[in-house]
Amino acid sequence: MQIFSKVLTDTDVRFRFSLPTHCLQHLDFAGNNSVDLHVKDSCGELRVIRCLKRDGDYDKPVLSKGWRQFVAYYELTVGDKVVLYSEDDHNLGSQFRIEAKRRINLFGEEVWGEVTRAN
C-alpha cells in the first residue's frame, strides 16, 4: 500500500527528507522521538533509515540517518521522486519499501521511471 510520494527538493537531497504529517499513523515511535525504519529499496536490499519527529506541537517527521546514503546510492537529484510503501517482508525483515523515480520523456510524454543503481 502506498503511503505517500514526493518530488525531491534541495533540502530533501542535501540534508533530510521531510514526510507529510499523516505518515505518523504508519510509524511506531513507542514514546520516543525517533524510530529506525527497516526499508527494502528498489534493488531488494534492506536499509535502516532513522525517522525523527520534531518536539513540540508540530510533530512533522523527517528521515535523517541513512537517508543521505540512499540519495547517494541512487544518485538522486532535485526533481526526482520518492515513493514509500507499507510492506512487510518477513524474509528480509522490512516494514516498508522505498522506490526512487526519475522523470523521463518517452515519445513526447513525461513519465516516471524507476531509478536503479548504474554500477
Side-chain angles (χ1 to χ4, degrees):
M1 171 183 83
Q2 181 176 320
I3 296 173
F4 81 100
S5 68
K6 180 181 179 186
V7 175
L8 299 177
T9 66
D10 184 60
T11 300
D12 295 326
V13 171
R14 294 184 6 177
F15 302 107
R16 66 197 159 277
F17 181 77
S18 63
L19 288 77
T21 306
H22 74 81
C23 292
L24 288 170
Q25 68 187 356
H26 299 280
L27 307 173
D28 183 11
F29 285 92
N32 299 311
N33 283 345
S34 70
V35 63
D36 287 340
L37 307 180
H38 297 268
V39 180
K40 181 170 60 173
D41 69 10
S42 297
C43 293
E45 293 184 34
L46 182 64
R47 295 180 175 274
V48 177
I49 302 176
R50 180 156 297 152
C51 183
L52 304 170
K53 66 178 178 177
R54 299 175 185 160
D55 290 328
D57 295 335
Y58 188 58
D59 290 338
K60 187 160 181 86
V62 295
L63 299 182
S64 59
K65 184 178 179 183
W67 168 249
R68 289 280 305 124
Q69 290 84 358
F70 177 77
V71 169
Y73 186 84
Y74 286 100
E75 300 176 347
L76 299 179
T77 60
V78 173
D80 290 340
K81 183 192 284 188
V82 169
V83 183
L84 184 68
Y85 300 90
S86 174
E87 176 183 274
D88 285 327
D89 183 334
H90 298 288
N91 293 329
L92 192 58
S94 66
Q95 306 157 304
F96 302 96
R97 182 168 47 96
I98 191 167
E99 291 180 354
K101 301 200 179 267
R102 185 160 291 138
R103 190 175 307 171
I104 56 175
N105 191 334
L106 186 63
F107 302 112
E109 184 176 332
E110 285 189 351
V111 296
W112 291 99
E114 191 169 341
V115 177
T116 57
R117 172 105 173 151
N119 297 343

